[in-house]
Amino acid sequence: MTERYIIGVDGGSQSTKVVIYDLKGNPVSRGVQPLKPVDTPEPGQVEHPGDDLWDSLAAASKKAMDQFSGDREAIVGVGLCTIRFVRCLLKADGCLASPAQSWMDERVSKPYEQEDSEVSYVTTSSGYLTHRLTGEKKDSAGNYQGQWPIDTDTWGWSEEDSLYEQYNLSKDMLFDLYPPGTILGHITEEASLATGIPKGLPVVATANDKAVEALGAGIRTQETALISLGTYIAGMVHGGRQNVKEAENYWTNFSAVPQEYLYESGGIRRGMWTVSWFKELLGEDLVKKAEATGVSPEDYLNAEADSRVPPGSDGLLTVLDWLAPAGQPYKKGMMIGFDVRHTGAHMYRSILEGIALTMKAHMDAMYAEMGERLERIILTGGGSNGDLMMQIFADVFGVPADRNVINGSASLGSAINTSVALGIYENYDQAITEMVKVKDSFSPNMDTHDFYTRFNEEVYQQITAHTDPVLKQAHAFFNR
């Protein structure tokens, strides 16, 4: 049989990645286009400049297609995954009326407000990009949570008129909803010219980016959890068909599998962004030291922090509030506990430990409420590339930490959605078996796990109870 291929799109917070996979989940070509730095026209507003979401998709797609050496007629479909919680305001012709509002924008956490008479449609990033690719006003129901009049039981628009009034939306302003794994339309000639993707290919609905990432990681049971190490770090577990609405320590998200749900713990805003920030802070000094040893800056930091810094970073503690929650604007990122022993490697390891310890507390709370037992974690995203991060997570959680062959798994999840939509595989379990592969596994050191457990409970989780009052006073002082 002639080899066939699927295009998987992963529109993330920092870049758009387009990967062409064979039917066994092996990448054969890829294109990556960084997003432009976000604009902040006013306090609380965070926008993607210009038409950056579309421009980055077009550029990444062209790169992937240019590198593809196979038969273009053997490409059978496109799975589209984009950033969640992005609000796009469109004119009647489907063009942006204003720049797309980022998930970090305070406006997306509130009902839509009609401030521009040219706005005819209000949609998500996936709705907007689906329209640009196909000309259709259709979207995946799996990318609608937050300020939308959606019925999370039926995955359709609500029949309660009061909700439309609450969200300041009318039904004719909204795109039609379809479940993940549905063909939403086909690549138009205009989109083909812009992206290089062959005209006429079906474009398949996926879900929100975290749910698609979970699908691409192969998360299908509650004993295994996913830790997504991205700009926003999230912990997720398969929820089956139970749409839990009143949990205290997790929230229910649409899965990338129709009529199934994903449970998501508390997370870390600007999580791996903080790691990037720290590396940039070290600047030329880090680059020179890395070059002198013949390794990358990331490998140099990992080696230094692994070989020279003990668990606990000699008492240096990092609190990862580099982006404050909307309801707690006084929150700030902190490093406390410095003394003369501490080096850049200590600071780096302290950030990694802060990420793992924070997520352990979130996941413990979620699993306790679920009444389930965690037996294994899978780490995805750029942060999982480092062995030190993998080992820290294994030691903090006390369970094996796996890393898959495809660890930026949202593009693979998009391809899996497409494979089922096109009937290549009968169901999602079969597709996962064929397309998802474990690369390596890190076993916990139980002595280190015992240390981290006591340290997390007795020290790390107590920090903000003491520092929040001071930060509140400082916030009031500088924001009068």
Side-chain angles (χ1 to χ4, degrees), residues 16 81 107 172 252 301 348 354 361 394 438:
T16 298
C81 169
R107 289 172 292 180
D172 60 1
T252 303
L301 273 176
Y348 178 69
V438 175

Side-chain angles (χ1 to χ4, degrees), residues 60 80 82 123 141 153 196 220 254 256 285 325 335 394 402 410 419 438 444 449:
L80 175 65
T82 68
T123 187
D153 289 321
R220 294 292 289 156
F254 291 125
D285 183 56
M335 286 185 178
D402 290 355
S419 73
V438 175
H449 170 63

Side-chain angles (χ1 to χ4, degrees), residues 151-418:
D151 184 330
T152 59
D153 289 321
T154 66
W155 295 46
W157 294 124
S158 175
E159 296 182 359
E160 297 183 23
D161 292 338
S162 61
L163 282 181
Y164 295 88
E165 296 176 5
Q166 176 182 335
Y167 294 119
N168 301 317
L169 294 166
S170 60
K171 293 181 180 180
D172 60 1
M173 298 176 73
L174 301 168
F175 283 11
D176 295 335
L177 296 185
Y178 295 85
T182 300
I183 296 174
L184 297 178
H186 296 79
I187 298 292
T188 65
E189 183 174 0
E190 181 181 4
S192 178
L193 291 172
T195 64
I197 299 173
K199 176 185 175 182
L201 281 186
V203 176
V204 173
T206 65
N208 62 86
D209 55 344
K210 294 302 182 185
V212 181
E213 188 175 2
L215 177 65
I219 300 295
R220 294 292 289 156
T221 68
Q222 294 192 340
E223 292 77 21
T224 301
L226 172 70
I227 309 291
S228 170
L229 298 174
T231 304
Y232 177 76
I233 296 176
M236 292 166 281
V237 63
H238 179 68
R241 295 184 176 273
Q242 296 298 314
N243 182 17
V244 179
K245 298 179 181 179
E246 297 180 355
E248 294 184 3
N249 296 297
Y250 64 93
W251 60 287
T252 303
N253 188 4
F254 291 125
S255 168
V257 178
Q259 297 302 316
E260 293 188 0
Y261 298 90
L262 199 67
Y263 300 154
E264 185 169 334
S265 74
I268 304 173
R269 294 155 62 88
R270 284 194 174 172
M272 293 309 300
W273 177 94
T274 305
V275 179
S276 300
W277 166 85
F278 177 70
K279 288 186 289 190
E280 291 173 6
L281 204 63
L282 295 181
E284 279 189 31
D285 183 56
L286 172 61
V287 173
K288 288 179 181 178
K289 288 180 178 178
E291 287 178 347
T293 57
V295 299
S296 70
E298 292 80 5
D299 287 342
Y300 176 82
L301 273 176
N302 280 317
E304 288 287 296
D306 190 20
S307 63
R308 299 183 178 225
V309 183
S313 301
D314 285 323
L316 184 61
L317 312 173
T318 298
V319 177
L320 292 148
D321 283 326
W322 261 252
L323 178 63
Q328 298 172 299
Y330 58 86
K331 290 276 191 180
K332 297 291 182 182
M334 294 182 294
M335 286 185 178
I336 62 174
F338 282 105
D339 62 39
V340 294
R341 294 172 296 176
H342 294 130
T343 64
H346 282 82
M347 296 169 70
Y348 178 69
R349 182 174 182 123
S350 179
I351 293 173
L352 302 190
E353 289 180 328
I355 289 171
L357 293 169
T358 300
M359 292 311 300
K360 178 63 161 60
H362 287 323
M363 297 296 283
D364 280 351
M366 178 169 72
Y367 266 85
E369 185 168 356
M370 289 169 51
E372 297 288 341
R373 179 181 175 84
L374 177 63
E375 297 181 359
R376 182 172 68 112
I377 56 175
I378 299 174
L379 270 63
T380 62
S384 64
N385 288 322
D387 288 0
L388 177 59
M389 178 71 100
M390 294 295 300
Q391 190 61 54
I392 287 174
F393 263 89
D395 291 342
V396 167
F397 276 73
V399 298
D402 290 355
R403 178 168 55 192
N404 288 345
V405 172
I406 306 299
N407 68 346
S409 59
S411 62
L412 181 57
S414 296
I416 290 173
N417 271 128
T418 304

Side-chain angles (χ1 to χ4, degrees), residues 9-18 31-35 52-61 81 129:
V9 177
D10 171 14
S13 295
Q14 299 187 53
S15 66
T16 298
K17 296 172 279 291
V18 176
V32 180
Q33 181 65 31
L35 293 180
D52 196 35
L53 296 182
W54 169 250
D55 292 342
S56 63
L57 172 57
S61 297
C81 169
L129 294 177

